[in-house]
Each structure stands twice: as C-alpha cells, then as structure tokens.
Amino acid sequence: LRSLILVLGDQLDLEAAAFDGFDRERDAVWMAEVADESTHVWSSQPRTALFLAAMRHFAQTLRQRGLTVDYVSLDEPDNTGRFTTEVQRAVARHRPSRMVVTEPSEWRVQETVNRWESLTGVSVEIRSDRRFFASRERFAAWANNRRSLRMENFYREMRREHQVLMNGNQPVGGAWNYDSKNRKSLPTHVSLPDRPRFAQDETTREVLSLVARRFSDHFGTVDKFNWPV
C-alpha cells in the first residue's frame, strides 16, 4: 500500500486535504471508532450516537465512490479502544509506505498523532486543515509579541481580512457582535419553528443500540434521553 489515509471523526469531508492525490489503486482509507474519544470528556448518548452514525455513513459514501476503506467499529472484538494502538494494528495489516492525515483540530489529538511516526516506523504526513479561515501559522503570526491573546481581536481581523459581514472596514449593522443581547431571554411573543426530524436508517438504528449498550454505565441509562426519530 502506498498511502494509508487516516480520517478522524470530525473530518468527514471529501474535500479534506488528506484526500488530495488519492489513488484508488494504491491507497486506502482508515477510520476507527475508539472508546477513548467518547469517554475522554463527558458526553451524552445522543451526541455519541450522532458522531458514530455520521462516521459510518461517511465510510459508506467512500466505498460507494470506489475507495478502499478499513473501518474499525466500536464493537469489533479486537478493537483496543485507543487511537494509537488501532493505528499500529492498521499499519501491521496494510504495511503502508506512509500515512496521511489532515491536522487534528484538538491539541490533545495533535500530540497523539505526532507520536505515530516513531511508534510505527512509518512516516506521517500531516496536512493543513483548509476548512478554516486561518491556519495555525496565520494565528501564530498574529499572536506573536502580543501581551494578551483575546479571541475577539483576532475575530475582528479575520472579518476584515476576508470581508465577512463587512461594509469596507466596518461591520454590517455597526456592531462587531451582539453578545449582550444574545444573553437575554427569548421574548415571549417570538415563536420557534418545529424542529426538523429525519427518519433513522438501519445504520443509525444499529449505532443507537450499540451506544445504549456500550455506554450506559458511563453516560447513564438510555431511558434518560429522548432519542430523535
């Protein structure tokens, strides 16, 4: 295998940088559901189910497009439940010349990815995530030599640079944000539309059942939650 493309659960995007130059004959995609990522911080069962269902549907989309996908489900007997050990198992299965991944959005995961090359002996190419207005390098350049780092100031610079809701150099509406108004209660005369609902397919139903069984002790019983239909 030339390249093993590692797709993390929050990178379900066919236009992600990791897919650049993908060769169906020589490359494969790896995805894994790992318990550590669902339990690292407290999460509700519906949120976890939504996350895993989205991953499985994305894997199905990739297969339909002719890509080879190595997908490790949460309930597979050999699943170790940890990112690093699952990557090591994938390397042993496929023996790729390199691994390619879009840079993680979380610092903790980035530090984990940084160790994979030394742990597996396979080079890891980490590509910039172009889904954001600013790269990490762009933020670092802005933050350099500043006494304090206030996100509001960087936010305004990005608005100006990319002309998002701007009239020239001034924000549309005359204010940069409406946080103070957003903190107030919703006026009683305002009515909200019905929430959209979507029919569950077989994949989603399987995930709902799996999460209810696997995480009931960690997140509480399934009866606590009003599952969407």
Side-chain angles (χ1 to χ4, degrees):
L1 191 68
R2 182 187 71 162
S3 302
L4 186 62
I5 311 303
L6 314 176
V7 177
L8 307 182
D10 60 351
Q11 299 175 346
L12 311 181
D13 182 0
L14 290 165
E15 301 300 321
F19 288 106
D20 290 353
F22 189 92
D23 188 325
R24 287 179 173 81
E25 300 299 323
R26 298 187 293 166
D27 302 335
V29 176
W30 173 87
M31 299 176 67
E33 302 170 1
V34 291
D36 267 6
E37 292 304 304
S38 293
T39 59
H40 179 72
V41 295
W42 194 93
S43 176
S44 67
Q45 287 187 32
R47 179 183 180 279
T48 298
L50 178 64
F51 204 86
L52 300 184
M55 289 178 62
R56 294 190 181 191
H57 283 100
F58 185 70
Q60 291 171 4
T61 297
L62 294 178
R63 291 189 178 110
Q64 290 168 358
R65 293 183 175 227
L67 279 66
T68 299
V69 181
D70 178 2
Y71 193 97
V72 182
S73 300
L74 189 70
D75 53 349
E76 287 190 15
D78 295 331
N79 188 333
T80 62
R82 300 177 65 86
F83 257 146
T84 296
T85 49
E86 284 308 305
V87 167
Q88 290 173 315
R89 291 204 311 130
V91 167
R93 287 195 298 274
H94 299 287
R95 302 179 64 83
S97 297
R98 66 172 180 171
M99 292 183 281
V100 180
V101 63
T102 303
E103 64 181 359
S105 58
E106 185 179 349
W107 181 258
R108 175 185 60 85
V109 180
Q110 177 70 59
E111 290 295 284
T112 299
V113 172
N114 289 342
R115 295 191 292 269
W116 286 349
E117 185 166 325
S118 62
L119 290 173
T120 64
V122 176
S123 65
V124 179
E125 180 182 339
I126 303 175
R127 297 178 178 174
S128 296
D129 192 341
R130 54 178 174 245
R131 297 175 299 168
F132 297 92
F133 277 110
S135 65
R136 294 180 181 180
E137 293 75 18
R138 176 66 180 84
F139 178 78
W142 173 84
N144 187 40
N145 295 326
R146 289 180 181 268
R147 291 185 176 181
S148 64
L149 302 180
R150 186 175 181 181
M151 184 55 68
E152 172 73 13
N153 295 333
F154 184 65
Y155 162 80
R156 294 185 184 190
E157 184 160 328
M158 288 292 97
R159 289 269 299 273
R160 293 190 186 98
E161 186 173 310
H162 296 280
Q163 285 296 294
V164 176
L165 295 175
M166 298 290 294
N167 283 325
N169 202 39
Q170 297 300 316
V172 171
W176 287 103
N177 65 64
Y178 297 89
D179 290 348
S180 59
K181 292 184 178 180
N182 291 338
R183 295 189 184 100
K184 296 180 180 179
S185 301
L186 190 70
T188 57
H189 66 276
V190 174
S191 59
L192 298 177
D194 292 336
R195 291 176 297 170
R197 293 178 177 272
F198 306 92
Q200 299 169 4
D201 62 8
E202 182 179 355
T203 297
T204 300
R205 289 193 294 270
E206 289 176 353
V207 170
L208 291 175
S209 177
L210 172 63
V211 170
R213 296 193 312 271
R214 183 66 180 267
F215 295 114
S216 60
D217 292 338
H218 189 82
F219 296 150
T221 63
V222 67
D223 295 336
K224 291 176 56 179
F225 303 104
N226 178 22
W227 295 98
V229 296

